[in-house]
């Protein structure tokens, strides 16, 4: 028997399935379909994802709407330092999606990355809100708490950014392409709605509500923190 014949005899030990053949039944369990929303083809989970994103965007843009004023009037920083810190925070928020993407793709997966970094996000908001209470320590304490809170917020908001929309798209079966397309439209509508509403609401909370005898930054940061807690609960 020559070498070609020996190789041919080995190949007969394997069973090949052509592209048109069905795989053997019983080898692959049927995929369990998720419950649908009101009898439609939309999974129930996407309702929670949309509400979660609305609350998350409200919390981020609501906090950011009064952040520069917080530096100027609460810390009494000059405009140059306030602007520099504000833009450094914004730049960090746009860098941390790289960290979230690496965590999701190489380590935890999208769902666990969203959960863990959302917890970090909530902790950052709470620390930031506590740091805005005037009676809590001196200015050094306020600055430290605020900077730690902003760092955690930047890690949380950027880290979940590359995961949430993709995770929402994963909830649909392959044949429901039109429903998936409409989901992304609603998803981005919730982003813009949360951003727009918070930009009007949090400055009102800061200026029209007085606490501790001055503008209530603790409330202006606390309401976005509460919305982020709600988003995590969703």
């Amino acid at each position: 028997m020559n070498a070609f014949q020996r190789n041919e005899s080995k190949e007969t030990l394997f069973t090949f399935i052509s592209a048109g053949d069905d795989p053997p039944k019983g080898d692959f369990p049927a995929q369990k379909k998720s419950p649908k929303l009101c009898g439609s083809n939309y999974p129930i989970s996407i309702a929670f994802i949309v509400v979660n994103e609305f609350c998350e965007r409200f919390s981020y843009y609501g906090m950011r709407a009064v952040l520069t004023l917080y530096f100027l009037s609460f810390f009494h920083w000059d405009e140059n330092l306030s602007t520099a810190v504000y833009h450094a925070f914004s730049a960090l928020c746009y860098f941390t999606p790289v960290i979230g993407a690496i965590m999701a793709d190489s380590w935890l997966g999208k769902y666990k990355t969203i959960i863990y970094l959302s917890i970090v996000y909530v902790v950052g908001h709470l620390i930031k809100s506590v740091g805005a209470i005037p009676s809590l320590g001196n200015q050094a304490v306020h600055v430290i708490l605020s900077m730690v809170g902003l760092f955690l917020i930047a890690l949380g908001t950027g880290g979940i950014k590359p995961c949430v929309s993709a995770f929402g798209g994963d909830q649909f079966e392959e044949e429901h392409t039109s429903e998936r397309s409409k989901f992304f439209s609603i998803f981005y509508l919730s982003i813009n709605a949360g951003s727009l509403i918070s930009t009007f609401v949090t400055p009102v909370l800061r200026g029209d509500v007085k606490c501790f005898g001055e503008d209530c930054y603790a409330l202006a940061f606390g309401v976005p923190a509460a919305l982020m807690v709600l988003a995590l609960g969703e």
Side-chain angles (χ1 to χ4, degrees), residues 54 58-59 61-63 65-66 193-209 216 219-221 223-224 227:
F54 173 87
F58 186 103
S59 67
Y61 281 99
M63 178 275 303
V66 297
S195 305
L196 177 65
I197 294 173
S198 66
T199 303
F200 287 102
V201 171
T202 50
V204 172
L205 294 176
R206 178 201 65 85
D208 293 355
V209 179
C216 197
L219 180 62
F221 293 139
V223 170
L227 266 293

Side-chain angles (χ1 to χ4, degrees), residues 24-144:
K25 295 182 178 180
D27 292 346
F28 302 96
Q31 184 179 2
K32 184 178 180 181
K33 295 185 178 181
S34 57
K36 297 299 188 291
L37 186 64
C38 299
S40 66
N41 290 325
Y42 294 92
I44 293 178
S45 55
I46 67 164
F48 297 99
I49 293 172
V50 170
V51 174
N52 176 285
E53 190 64 16
F54 173 87
C55 294
E56 189 275 325
R57 290 289 86 185
F58 186 103
S59 67
Y60 173 73
Y61 281 99
M63 178 275 303
R64 207 178 72 166
V66 297
L67 188 58
T68 303
L69 289 175
Y70 177 67
F71 293 151
L72 290 170
S73 62
F74 193 85
F75 290 161
H76 303 291
W77 289 350
D78 58 35
E79 291 184 2
N80 291 332
L81 179 58
S82 299
T83 302
V85 174
Y86 176 84
H87 286 292
F89 166 72
S90 298
L92 184 61
C93 291
Y94 285 103
F95 172 75
T96 50
V98 177
I99 299 175
I102 294 173
M103 291 176 61
D105 292 341
S106 305
W107 184 22
L108 296 174
K110 290 188 285 291
Y111 178 74
K112 288 185 179 179
T113 299
I114 293 170
I115 293 297
Y116 294 158
L117 290 183
S118 292
I119 294 173
V120 172
Y121 201 168
V122 168
V123 172
H125 268 296
L126 294 177
I127 293 175
K128 186 75 178 65
S129 301
V130 171
I133 300 175
S135 59
L136 185 66
N138 54 23
Q139 183 172 354
V141 174
H142 297 311
V143 172
I144 292 173

Side-chain angles (χ1 to χ4, degrees), residues 42 46 50 179 181-191:
Y42 294 92
I46 67 164
V50 170
E179 287 82 359
S181 177
K182 291 178 182 178
F183 157 73
F184 283 113
S185 298
I186 297 172
F187 179 81
Y188 288 109
L189 175 63
S190 71
I191 290 177

